Amino acid sequence: MVFYLVSIFIVAFIALYALMAVWAERKVSAYMQNRLGPMETGKFGLFQTFADIIKLIQKEDIVPTAADKALFFIAPVLVFLSVFMGFAALPVTYGYISSDISLGVFYLLAVVSIEVVGILMAGWSSNNKYALLGSVRSVAQIISYEIPAVIAVLSVVMLCGSLNLQDITMQQGIYAADPIYFLGIWKVNAVGGFPAWHIFQAPHLLIAFFIYFTASLAECNRAPFDIPEAESEIVAGFHIEYSGFKFAALFLAEYAMMFLVSMIAVVLFLGGWNTPLPNIGSLALADWTSGVAWGVFWIIGKSMVMVLIQMWVRWTFPRFRMDQLMSFCWKVLIPVSFGCMLISAIWKLAVI
Amino acid sequence: MGNADHIKRNNWLQRLTGLWRGMLLTLSYTIRRGKRKNAGPKSDQYFEQVQGTVTLQYPHEKLPVPENGRYQLHVEIDDCIVCDLCAKICPVDCIDIISIKSVEDMGKTSDGTTKRLHAAKFDIDMGKCMFCGLCTIVCPTECIIMTDEYDRSFSDPKELIYPFSFMTEAEAEEKRAALAKSEAEKKAAKEAALKAAQEAKKKAEDQ
């Protein structure tokens, strides 16, 4: 029963979140450019995206004559599904995870990769040169950037000794069973809060976190890695021929993907549903702000902050060129992430 | 501004701080936001809007315009002597006037000019108007003026033709009939006078 309730809650939450995130993105970009963004629909334009989605659903579902009809239909479903399947293995709060599988991290990385197939399908079946170019770029980019992301994740997993995301989260707060150390020197089991997070447990995990964050931007096809959707070059990339509900599904999946990678980053590096507030002497902030409801609040709150940072990055940096993108991935991120993994191995043997 | 020359190719620290400076810049723009000041062209700060929001939420807020702004035309029809000068000088022929001579006393305009013509029709087509202001210059009674109103939108282009004389067709017909009657009377009186004069002349000749 709880399983179904939580599943429905997650789907409803993600749909609502995606609408609000689109609105937030428009607002963030507007504020950065001295504009106001949507203002007319509701207070501060809050209902703008609701009006947009109603319009999208009403629209005629156009399928290009030359398109591969079956693939054209399957592609958005596949993209949408692959993103939503990822949420199954993520811990929602203390003691609750929808699918408590011992290979959680592996499952997540695998399921998120399916999105690439959907994007390639969308680009190929549209029978449009821009769509094909966009999807080819997207595939090249996502597959390349998955390597540093996975290696960065591995350096966490090596320290934890577990692939279960709930176990990984448990080791980053006051509920940890094993001794945990801030920077490998100060035992913080009783303190909890942000010093117990993985990025502070070992200094190289901070670098691993930045590598994962950068690679996750590329996996979401977001600026500065948005050449698959580069508006000024190839119009909209792989989803150029999509309209109506299918486009809405692709759009929703894109924003859900942002949330998913943010949530993965939060679970692996930023303490998951653990509180960021530490116990300071008799001021037991961590004890007061831990629990089932607090857990939901913290994990969603932290993920939202990460999504906001993604938007911030998007509206700050210009787009990479294809060769810059690839050389940055293969010549910088991958060697550094391998270095992180090596340090993790040494850290595991020498420090803890 | 030559920044690229200063950054050495392999100076990753400089690159990272550069990225961070960019992030801080956009953040500062996000935070440092004031409402747009409705300054208007008279203000000293009119050209200094680099900081804060630039968006003007137009129908809700407007920049102030001078009171003597030269935008849409307005006709004070009580002061109009229907001389047709404005319609004649208009380069785009956007003013359409039909005049009827008056028979009774029409009074005077506010500057003391005697009015002798009814305006049966005084239409200005704002869709054609090019806002040159020539009509306001030639007007002898200064009844046609440009106002500070610049925004009126319509869904039907016919609504852009602003009527300033609200004389109905029946009234115009009445005025025309009155004019025709008075002219006929005048003509009859003139003929009668002429006849009387001729008769008087004839009588005198006979005598």
PDB file of all heavy atoms in Angstrom, chain A residues 28 30-37 39-40 309 312-313 315-317, chain B residues 19-20 22-24 26-27 29-30 33 50 52-55 57 60:
ATOM      1  N   VAL A  28      14.447  32.685 -13.403  1.00  0.00           N
ATOM      2  CA  VAL A  28      15.884  32.822 -13.111  1.00  0.00           C
ATOM      3  C   VAL A  28      16.584  33.485 -14.281  1.00  0.00           C
ATOM      4  O   VAL A  28      17.353  34.440 -14.125  1.00  0.00           O
ATOM      5  CB  VAL A  28      16.500  31.433 -12.808  1.00  0.00           C
ATOM      6  CG1 VAL A  28      18.005  31.493 -12.845  1.00  0.00           C
ATOM      7  CG2 VAL A  28      16.028  30.922 -11.462  1.00  0.00           C
ATOM      8  N   ALA A  30      15.299  35.347 -16.539  1.00  0.00           N
ATOM      9  CA  ALA A  30      14.852  36.730 -16.675  1.00  0.00           C
ATOM     10  C   ALA A  30      15.582  37.625 -15.684  1.00  0.00           C
ATOM     11  O   ALA A  30      16.074  38.694 -16.050  1.00  0.00           O
ATOM     12  CB  ALA A  30      13.348  36.818 -16.449  1.00  0.00           C
ATOM     13  N   TYR A  31      15.702  37.168 -14.442  1.00  0.00           N
ATOM     14  CA  TYR A  31      16.337  38.005 -13.430  1.00  0.00           C
ATOM     15  C   TYR A  31      17.809  38.221 -13.760  1.00  0.00           C
ATOM     16  O   TYR A  31      18.355  39.288 -13.508  1.00  0.00           O
ATOM     17  CB  TYR A  31      16.186  37.366 -12.052  1.00  0.00           C
ATOM     18  CG  TYR A  31      14.796  37.472 -11.484  1.00  0.00           C
ATOM     19  CD1 TYR A  31      14.445  36.827 -10.317  1.00  0.00           C
ATOM     20  CD2 TYR A  31      13.828  38.230 -12.123  1.00  0.00           C
ATOM     21  CE1 TYR A  31      13.169  36.933  -9.800  1.00  0.00           C
ATOM     22  CE2 TYR A  31      12.557  38.334 -11.622  1.00  0.00           C
ATOM     23  CZ  TYR A  31      12.228  37.678 -10.459  1.00  0.00           C
ATOM     24  OH  TYR A  31      10.975  37.784  -9.956  1.00  0.00           O
ATOM     25  N   MET A  32      18.441  37.185 -14.329  1.00  0.00           N
ATOM     26  CA  MET A  32      19.849  37.347 -14.677  1.00  0.00           C
ATOM     27  C   MET A  32      20.029  38.310 -15.837  1.00  0.00           C
ATOM     28  O   MET A  32      21.111  38.857 -16.031  1.00  0.00           O
ATOM     29  CB  MET A  32      20.457  35.993 -15.032  1.00  0.00           C
ATOM     30  CG  MET A  32      20.724  35.174 -13.805  1.00  0.00           C
ATOM     31  SD  MET A  32      21.463  33.627 -14.225  1.00  0.00           S
ATOM     32  CE  MET A  32      21.513  32.871 -12.620  1.00  0.00           C
ATOM     33  N   GLN A  33      18.990  38.494 -16.622  1.00  0.00           N
ATOM     34  CA  GLN A  33      19.108  39.365 -17.793  1.00  0.00           C
ATOM     35  C   GLN A  33      18.327  40.648 -17.612  1.00  0.00           C
ATOM     36  O   GLN A  33      17.906  41.265 -18.595  1.00  0.00           O
ATOM     37  CB  GLN A  33      18.605  38.612 -19.027  1.00  0.00           C
ATOM     38  CG  GLN A  33      19.457  37.399 -19.326  1.00  0.00           C
ATOM     39  CD  GLN A  33      18.822  36.486 -20.333  1.00  0.00           C
ATOM     40  OE1 GLN A  33      17.686  36.683 -20.745  1.00  0.00           O
ATOM     41  NE2 GLN A  33      19.546  35.471 -20.747  1.00  0.00           N
ATOM     42  N   ASN A  34      18.100  41.051 -16.362  1.00  0.00           N
ATOM     43  CA  ASN A  34      17.390  42.301 -16.064  1.00  0.00           C
ATOM     44  C   ASN A  34      15.990  42.341 -16.651  1.00  0.00           C
ATOM     45  O   ASN A  34      15.502  43.404 -17.018  1.00  0.00           O
ATOM     46  CB  ASN A  34      18.182  43.514 -16.570  1.00  0.00           C
ATOM     47  CG  ASN A  34      19.264  43.899 -15.607  1.00  0.00           C
ATOM     48  OD1 ASN A  34      19.312  43.390 -14.492  1.00  0.00           O
ATOM     49  ND2 ASN A  34      20.117  44.794 -16.018  1.00  0.00           N
ATOM     50  N   ARG A  35      15.362  41.176 -16.766  1.00  0.00           N
ATOM     51  CA  ARG A  35      13.986  41.161 -17.232  1.00  0.00           C
ATOM     52  C   ARG A  35      13.100  40.726 -16.067  1.00  0.00           C
ATOM     53  O   ARG A  35      13.577  40.562 -14.948  1.00  0.00           O
ATOM     54  CB  ARG A  35      13.822  40.176 -18.388  1.00  0.00           C
ATOM     55  CG  ARG A  35      14.594  40.533 -19.610  1.00  0.00           C
ATOM     56  CD  ARG A  35      14.354  39.541 -20.723  1.00  0.00           C
ATOM     57  NE  ARG A  35      15.020  38.270 -20.499  1.00  0.00           N
ATOM     58  CZ  ARG A  35      14.406  37.117 -20.312  1.00  0.00           C
ATOM     59  NH1 ARG A  35      13.099  37.056 -20.304  1.00  0.00           N
ATOM     60  NH2 ARG A  35      15.092  36.020 -20.114  1.00  0.00           N
ATOM     61  N   LEU A  36      11.819  40.533 -16.343  1.00  0.00           N
ATOM     62  CA  LEU A  36      10.899  40.103 -15.295  1.00  0.00           C
ATOM     63  C   LEU A  36      10.381  38.687 -15.516  1.00  0.00           C
ATOM     64  O   LEU A  36       9.917  38.047 -14.590  1.00  0.00           O
ATOM     65  CB  LEU A  36       9.696  41.044 -15.227  1.00  0.00           C
ATOM     66  CG  LEU A  36       9.964  42.405 -14.602  1.00  0.00           C
ATOM     67  CD1 LEU A  36       8.737  43.274 -14.735  1.00  0.00           C
ATOM     68  CD2 LEU A  36      10.314  42.250 -13.138  1.00  0.00           C
ATOM     69  N   GLY A  37      10.429  38.197 -16.733  1.00  0.00           N
ATOM     70  CA  GLY A  37       9.889  36.871 -16.999  1.00  0.00           C
ATOM     71  C   GLY A  37       8.379  36.904 -17.048  1.00  0.00           C
ATOM     72  O   GLY A  37       7.782  37.972 -17.138  1.00  0.00           O
ATOM     73  N   MET A  39       4.727  37.355 -16.216  1.00  0.00           N
ATOM     74  CA  MET A  39       4.113  38.165 -15.157  1.00  0.00           C
ATOM     75  C   MET A  39       2.594  38.199 -15.266  1.00  0.00           C
ATOM     76  O   MET A  39       1.925  38.604 -14.334  1.00  0.00           O
ATOM     77  CB  MET A  39       4.620  39.618 -15.240  1.00  0.00           C
ATOM     78  CG  MET A  39       6.030  39.824 -14.792  1.00  0.00           C
ATOM     79  SD  MET A  39       6.270  39.473 -13.059  1.00  0.00           S
ATOM     80  CE  MET A  39       5.681  40.963 -12.295  1.00  0.00           C
ATOM     81  N   GLU A  40       2.032  37.784 -16.392  1.00  0.00           N
ATOM     82  CA  GLU A  40       0.615  38.061 -16.633  1.00  0.00           C
ATOM     83  C   GLU A  40      -0.304  36.975 -16.105  1.00  0.00           C
ATOM     84  O   GLU A  40      -1.396  37.262 -15.649  1.00  0.00           O
ATOM     85  CB  GLU A  40       0.375  38.250 -18.132  1.00  0.00           C
ATOM     86  CG  GLU A  40       1.021  39.497 -18.686  1.00  0.00           C
ATOM     87  CD  GLU A  40       0.492  40.757 -18.042  1.00  0.00           C
ATOM     88  OE1 GLU A  40      -0.732  40.905 -17.929  1.00  0.00           O
ATOM     89  OE2 GLU A  40       1.308  41.592 -17.610  1.00  0.00           O
ATOM     90  N   ILE A 309      21.069  25.469  -9.089  1.00  0.00           N
ATOM     91  CA  ILE A 309      22.463  25.690  -9.494  1.00  0.00           C
ATOM     92  C   ILE A 309      22.635  25.327 -10.968  1.00  0.00           C
ATOM     93  O   ILE A 309      23.336  26.014 -11.712  1.00  0.00           O
ATOM     94  CB  ILE A 309      23.414  24.895  -8.582  1.00  0.00           C
ATOM     95  CG1 ILE A 309      23.364  25.473  -7.167  1.00  0.00           C
ATOM     96  CG2 ILE A 309      24.844  24.953  -9.107  1.00  0.00           C
ATOM     97  CD1 ILE A 309      24.141  24.687  -6.152  1.00  0.00           C
ATOM     98  N   TRP A 312      21.398  28.183 -12.856  1.00  0.00           N
ATOM     99  CA  TRP A 312      22.360  29.276 -12.699  1.00  0.00           C
ATOM    100  C   TRP A 312      23.522  29.090 -13.677  1.00  0.00           C
ATOM    101  O   TRP A 312      23.912  30.013 -14.403  1.00  0.00           O
ATOM    102  CB  TRP A 312      22.814  29.269 -11.240  1.00  0.00           C
ATOM    103  CG  TRP A 312      23.805  30.308 -10.834  1.00  0.00           C
ATOM    104  CD1 TRP A 312      24.155  31.437 -11.515  1.00  0.00           C
ATOM    105  CD2 TRP A 312      24.570  30.302  -9.636  1.00  0.00           C
ATOM    106  NE1 TRP A 312      25.085  32.130 -10.799  1.00  0.00           N
ATOM    107  CE2 TRP A 312      25.359  31.459  -9.650  1.00  0.00           C
ATOM    108  CE3 TRP A 312      24.665  29.431  -8.546  1.00  0.00           C
ATOM    109  CZ2 TRP A 312      26.231  31.762  -8.615  1.00  0.00           C
ATOM    110  CZ3 TRP A 312      25.531  29.737  -7.523  1.00  0.00           C
ATOM    111  CH2 TRP A 312      26.312  30.895  -7.552  1.00  0.00           C
ATOM    112  N   VAL A 313      24.042  27.848 -13.723  1.00  0.00           N
ATOM    113  CA  VAL A 313      25.145  27.550 -14.639  1.00  0.00           C
ATOM    114  C   VAL A 313      24.695  27.749 -16.080  1.00  0.00           C
ATOM    115  O   VAL A 313      25.397  28.339 -16.893  1.00  0.00           O
ATOM    116  CB  VAL A 313      25.645  26.109 -14.415  1.00  0.00           C
ATOM    117  CG1 VAL A 313      26.574  25.685 -15.534  1.00  0.00           C
ATOM    118  CG2 VAL A 313      26.342  25.983 -13.082  1.00  0.00           C
ATOM    119  N   TRP A 315      22.467  29.681 -17.405  1.00  0.00           N
ATOM    120  CA  TRP A 315      22.284  31.043 -17.883  1.00  0.00           C
ATOM    121  C   TRP A 315      23.525  31.892 -17.696  1.00  0.00           C
ATOM    122  O   TRP A 315      23.492  33.096 -17.945  1.00  0.00           O
ATOM    123  CB  TRP A 315      21.065  31.668 -17.213  1.00  0.00           C
ATOM    124  CG  TRP A 315      19.858  30.991 -17.702  1.00  0.00           C
ATOM    125  CD1 TRP A 315      19.159  30.017 -17.056  1.00  0.00           C
ATOM    126  CD2 TRP A 315      19.240  31.143 -18.978  1.00  0.00           C
ATOM    127  NE1 TRP A 315      18.149  29.574 -17.851  1.00  0.00           N
ATOM    128  CE2 TRP A 315      18.167  30.238 -19.026  1.00  0.00           C
ATOM    129  CE3 TRP A 315      19.496  31.949 -20.079  1.00  0.00           C
ATOM    130  CZ2 TRP A 315      17.351  30.125 -20.150  1.00  0.00           C
ATOM    131  CZ3 TRP A 315      18.676  31.838 -21.181  1.00  0.00           C
ATOM    132  CH2 TRP A 315      17.622  30.933 -21.209  1.00  0.00           C
ATOM    133  N   THR A 316      24.628  31.261 -17.207  1.00  0.00           N
ATOM    134  CA  THR A 316      25.857  32.021 -17.065  1.00  0.00           C
ATOM    135  C   THR A 316      26.826  31.725 -18.197  1.00  0.00           C
ATOM    136  O   THR A 316      27.438  32.629 -18.746  1.00  0.00           O
ATOM    137  CB  THR A 316      26.529  31.706 -15.723  1.00  0.00           C
ATOM    138  OG1 THR A 316      25.619  32.006 -14.677  1.00  0.00           O
ATOM    139  CG2 THR A 316      27.780  32.527 -15.537  1.00  0.00           C
ATOM    140  N   PHE A 317      26.976  30.449 -18.541  1.00  0.00           N
ATOM    141  CA  PHE A 317      28.057  30.077 -19.444  1.00  0.00           C
ATOM    142  C   PHE A 317      27.583  29.879 -20.874  1.00  0.00           C
ATOM    143  O   PHE A 317      26.485  29.374 -21.100  1.00  0.00           O
ATOM    144  CB  PHE A 317      28.724  28.788 -18.947  1.00  0.00           C
ATOM    145  CG  PHE A 317      29.364  28.957 -17.606  1.00  0.00           C
ATOM    146  CD1 PHE A 317      29.236  27.986 -16.644  1.00  0.00           C
ATOM    147  CD2 PHE A 317      30.069  30.101 -17.307  1.00  0.00           C
ATOM    148  CE1 PHE A 317      29.808  28.152 -15.396  1.00  0.00           C
ATOM    149  CE2 PHE A 317      30.644  30.279 -16.075  1.00  0.00           C
ATOM    150  CZ  PHE A 317      30.517  29.300 -15.120  1.00  0.00           C
TER     151      PHE A 317
ATOM    152  N   LEU B  19      35.571  31.309 -14.345  1.00  0.00           N
ATOM    153  CA  LEU B  19      34.223  30.734 -14.331  1.00  0.00           C
ATOM    154  C   LEU B  19      33.446  31.218 -13.116  1.00  0.00           C
ATOM    155  O   LEU B  19      32.283  31.595 -13.203  1.00  0.00           O
ATOM    156  CB  LEU B  19      34.303  29.208 -14.314  1.00  0.00           C
ATOM    157  CG  LEU B  19      34.787  28.510 -15.576  1.00  0.00           C
ATOM    158  CD1 LEU B  19      34.876  27.026 -15.331  1.00  0.00           C
ATOM    159  CD2 LEU B  19      33.853  28.790 -16.719  1.00  0.00           C
ATOM    160  N   TRP B  20      34.144  31.209 -11.966  1.00  0.00           N
ATOM    161  CA  TRP B  20      33.484  31.600 -10.728  1.00  0.00           C
ATOM    162  C   TRP B  20      33.073  33.071 -10.781  1.00  0.00           C
ATOM    163  O   TRP B  20      31.993  33.444 -10.328  1.00  0.00           O
ATOM    164  CB  TRP B  20      34.420  31.308  -9.546  1.00  0.00           C
ATOM    165  CG  TRP B  20      33.840  31.711  -8.229  1.00  0.00           C
ATOM    166  CD1 TRP B  20      34.359  32.589  -7.346  1.00  0.00           C
ATOM    167  CD2 TRP B  20      32.622  31.245  -7.650  1.00  0.00           C
ATOM    168  NE1 TRP B  20      33.533  32.705  -6.257  1.00  0.00           N
ATOM    169  CE2 TRP B  20      32.461  31.895  -6.423  1.00  0.00           C
ATOM    170  CE3 TRP B  20      31.633  30.337  -8.066  1.00  0.00           C
ATOM    171  CZ2 TRP B  20      31.364  31.679  -5.586  1.00  0.00           C
ATOM    172  CZ3 TRP B  20      30.528  30.127  -7.242  1.00  0.00           C
ATOM    173  CH2 TRP B  20      30.418  30.783  -6.015  1.00  0.00           C
ATOM    174  N   GLY B  22      32.249  34.676 -13.431  1.00  0.00           N
ATOM    175  CA  GLY B  22      31.055  34.727 -14.274  1.00  0.00           C
ATOM    176  C   GLY B  22      29.811  34.350 -13.496  1.00  0.00           C
ATOM    177  O   GLY B  22      28.775  35.011 -13.600  1.00  0.00           O
ATOM    178  N   MET B  23      29.929  33.296 -12.686  1.00  0.00           N
ATOM    179  CA  MET B  23      28.782  32.868 -11.870  1.00  0.00           C
ATOM    180  C   MET B  23      28.371  33.982 -10.920  1.00  0.00           C
ATOM    181  O   MET B  23      27.184  34.260 -10.739  1.00  0.00           O
ATOM    182  CB  MET B  23      29.147  31.624 -11.063  1.00  0.00           C
ATOM    183  CG  MET B  23      29.502  30.412 -11.880  1.00  0.00           C
ATOM    184  SD  MET B  23      28.076  29.541 -12.497  1.00  0.00           S
ATOM    185  CE  MET B  23      27.581  28.619 -11.059  1.00  0.00           C
ATOM    186  N   LEU B  24      29.370  34.636 -10.293  1.00  0.00           N
ATOM    187  CA  LEU B  24      29.056  35.707  -9.337  1.00  0.00           C
ATOM    188  C   LEU B  24      28.375  36.876 -10.043  1.00  0.00           C
ATOM    189  O   LEU B  24      27.486  37.516  -9.487  1.00  0.00           O
ATOM    190  CB  LEU B  24      30.333  36.190  -8.645  1.00  0.00           C
ATOM    191  CG  LEU B  24      30.875  35.287  -7.557  1.00  0.00           C
ATOM    192  CD1 LEU B  24      32.093  35.935  -6.916  1.00  0.00           C
ATOM    193  CD2 LEU B  24      29.828  35.004  -6.502  1.00  0.00           C
ATOM    194  N   THR B  26      26.369  36.812 -12.734  1.00  0.00           N
ATOM    195  CA  THR B  26      24.946  36.551 -12.959  1.00  0.00           C
ATOM    196  C   THR B  26      24.182  36.543 -11.638  1.00  0.00           C
ATOM    197  O   THR B  26      23.049  37.002 -11.570  1.00  0.00           O
ATOM    198  CB  THR B  26      24.733  35.218 -13.689  1.00  0.00           C
ATOM    199  OG1 THR B  26      25.547  34.234 -13.079  1.00  0.00           O
ATOM    200  CG2 THR B  26      25.061  35.334 -15.145  1.00  0.00           C
ATOM    201  N   LEU B  27      24.843  36.044 -10.585  1.00  0.00           N
ATOM    202  CA  LEU B  27      24.181  36.032  -9.271  1.00  0.00           C
ATOM    203  C   LEU B  27      23.917  37.458  -8.815  1.00  0.00           C
ATOM    204  O   LEU B  27      22.830  37.768  -8.314  1.00  0.00           O
ATOM    205  CB  LEU B  27      25.050  35.295  -8.252  1.00  0.00           C
ATOM    206  CG  LEU B  27      24.408  35.110  -6.891  1.00  0.00           C
ATOM    207  CD1 LEU B  27      23.242  34.138  -6.982  1.00  0.00           C
ATOM    208  CD2 LEU B  27      25.409  34.617  -5.878  1.00  0.00           C
ATOM    209  N   TYR B  29      23.437  40.028 -10.604  1.00  0.00           N
ATOM    210  CA  TYR B  29      22.322  40.586 -11.375  1.00  0.00           C
ATOM    211  C   TYR B  29      20.994  40.071 -10.844  1.00  0.00           C
ATOM    212  O   TYR B  29      20.000  40.785 -10.828  1.00  0.00           O
ATOM    213  CB  TYR B  29      22.466  40.225 -12.857  1.00  0.00           C
ATOM    214  CG  TYR B  29      23.204  41.284 -13.627  1.00  0.00           C
ATOM    215  CD1 TYR B  29      24.575  41.417 -13.494  1.00  0.00           C
ATOM    216  CD2 TYR B  29      22.533  42.151 -14.463  1.00  0.00           C
ATOM    217  CE1 TYR B  29      25.254  42.390 -14.176  1.00  0.00           C
ATOM    218  CE2 TYR B  29      23.210  43.129 -15.152  1.00  0.00           C
ATOM    219  CZ  TYR B  29      24.570  43.239 -15.011  1.00  0.00           C
ATOM    220  OH  TYR B  29      25.237  44.210 -15.686  1.00  0.00           O
ATOM    221  N   THR B  30      20.988  38.772 -10.435  1.00  0.00           N
ATOM    222  CA  THR B  30      19.753  38.188  -9.919  1.00  0.00           C
ATOM    223  C   THR B  30      19.323  38.876  -8.635  1.00  0.00           C
ATOM    224  O   THR B  30      18.148  39.109  -8.410  1.00  0.00           O
ATOM    225  CB  THR B  30      19.968  36.690  -9.652  1.00  0.00           C
ATOM    226  OG1 THR B  30      20.627  36.140 -10.770  1.00  0.00           O
ATOM    227  CG2 THR B  30      18.666  35.981  -9.432  1.00  0.00           C
ATOM    228  N   ARG B  33      18.224  43.720  -7.881  1.00  0.00           N
ATOM    229  CA  ARG B  33      17.148  44.105  -8.780  1.00  0.00           C
ATOM    230  C   ARG B  33      16.265  45.145  -8.116  1.00  0.00           C
ATOM    231  O   ARG B  33      15.796  44.952  -7.019  1.00  0.00           O
ATOM    232  CB  ARG B  33      16.271  42.900  -9.109  1.00  0.00           C
ATOM    233  CG  ARG B  33      16.786  42.054 -10.197  1.00  0.00           C
ATOM    234  CD  ARG B  33      15.964  40.814 -10.381  1.00  0.00           C
ATOM    235  NE  ARG B  33      14.950  40.611  -9.379  1.00  0.00           N
ATOM    236  CZ  ARG B  33      13.688  40.986  -9.513  1.00  0.00           C
ATOM    237  NH1 ARG B  33      13.281  41.588 -10.577  1.00  0.00           N
ATOM    238  NH2 ARG B  33      12.827  40.734  -8.562  1.00  0.00           N
ATOM    239  N   VAL B  50      21.248  50.937 -16.510  1.00  0.00           N
ATOM    240  CA  VAL B  50      22.048  49.726 -16.588  1.00  0.00           C
ATOM    241  C   VAL B  50      21.754  48.811 -15.404  1.00  0.00           C
ATOM    242  O   VAL B  50      21.934  47.617 -15.476  1.00  0.00           O
ATOM    243  CB  VAL B  50      23.552  50.034 -16.644  1.00  0.00           C
ATOM    244  CG1 VAL B  50      23.943  50.418 -18.031  1.00  0.00           C
ATOM    245  CG2 VAL B  50      23.916  51.094 -15.651  1.00  0.00           C
ATOM    246  N   GLY B  52      19.230  47.197 -12.396  1.00  0.00           N
ATOM    247  CA  GLY B  52      17.831  46.940 -12.102  1.00  0.00           C
ATOM    248  C   GLY B  52      17.070  46.504 -13.339  1.00  0.00           C
ATOM    249  O   GLY B  52      17.594  46.454 -14.441  1.00  0.00           O
ATOM    250  N   THR B  53      15.804  46.193 -13.121  1.00  0.00           N
ATOM    251  CA  THR B  53      14.976  45.651 -14.186  1.00  0.00           C
ATOM    252  C   THR B  53      14.758  46.684 -15.284  1.00  0.00           C
ATOM    253  O   THR B  53      14.532  47.846 -15.003  1.00  0.00           O
ATOM    254  CB  THR B  53      13.621  45.244 -13.595  1.00  0.00           C
ATOM    255  OG1 THR B  53      13.877  44.517 -12.408  1.00  0.00           O
ATOM    256  CG2 THR B  53      12.840  44.395 -14.553  1.00  0.00           C
ATOM    257  N   VAL B  54      14.846  46.224 -16.519  1.00  0.00           N
ATOM    258  CA  VAL B  54      14.578  47.137 -17.621  1.00  0.00           C
ATOM    259  C   VAL B  54      13.169  46.956 -18.162  1.00  0.00           C
ATOM    260  O   VAL B  54      12.668  47.809 -18.884  1.00  0.00           O
ATOM    261  CB  VAL B  54      15.580  46.957 -18.784  1.00  0.00           C
ATOM    262  CG1 VAL B  54      16.896  47.555 -18.445  1.00  0.00           C
ATOM    263  CG2 VAL B  54      15.700  45.526 -19.179  1.00  0.00           C
ATOM    264  N   THR B  55      12.535  45.834 -17.828  1.00  0.00           N
ATOM    265  CA  THR B  55      11.207  45.571 -18.377  1.00  0.00           C
ATOM    266  C   THR B  55      10.211  46.622 -17.905  1.00  0.00           C
ATOM    267  O   THR B  55      10.160  46.939 -16.724  1.00  0.00           O
ATOM    268  CB  THR B  55      10.711  44.187 -17.933  1.00  0.00           C
ATOM    269  OG1 THR B  55      11.678  43.223 -18.292  1.00  0.00           O
ATOM    270  CG2 THR B  55       9.405  43.842 -18.602  1.00  0.00           C
ATOM    271  N   GLN B  57       6.274  46.959 -17.743  1.00  0.00           N
ATOM    272  CA  GLN B  57       5.073  46.139 -17.953  1.00  0.00           C
ATOM    273  C   GLN B  57       4.020  47.012 -18.584  1.00  0.00           C
ATOM    274  O   GLN B  57       3.150  47.541 -17.914  1.00  0.00           O
ATOM    275  CB  GLN B  57       4.609  45.578 -16.622  1.00  0.00           C
ATOM    276  CG  GLN B  57       5.527  44.488 -16.145  1.00  0.00           C
ATOM    277  CD  GLN B  57       4.969  43.865 -14.912  1.00  0.00           C
ATOM    278  OE1 GLN B  57       5.180  44.336 -13.823  1.00  0.00           O
ATOM    279  NE2 GLN B  57       4.202  42.812 -15.097  1.00  0.00           N
ATOM    280  N   HIS B  60       0.287  48.093 -17.870  1.00  0.00           N
ATOM    281  CA  HIS B  60       0.082  48.404 -16.456  1.00  0.00           C
ATOM    282  C   HIS B  60       0.859  49.637 -16.026  1.00  0.00           C
ATOM    283  O   HIS B  60       0.425  50.374 -15.157  1.00  0.00           O
ATOM    284  CB  HIS B  60       0.491  47.213 -15.588  1.00  0.00           C
ATOM    285  CG  HIS B  60      -0.153  45.931 -16.011  1.00  0.00           C
ATOM    286  ND1 HIS B  60      -1.508  45.795 -16.095  1.00  0.00           N
ATOM    287  CD2 HIS B  60       0.371  44.746 -16.400  1.00  0.00           C
ATOM    288  CE1 HIS B  60      -1.800  44.576 -16.513  1.00  0.00           C
ATOM    289  NE2 HIS B  60      -0.680  43.923 -16.718  1.00  0.00           N
TER     290      HIS B  60
END
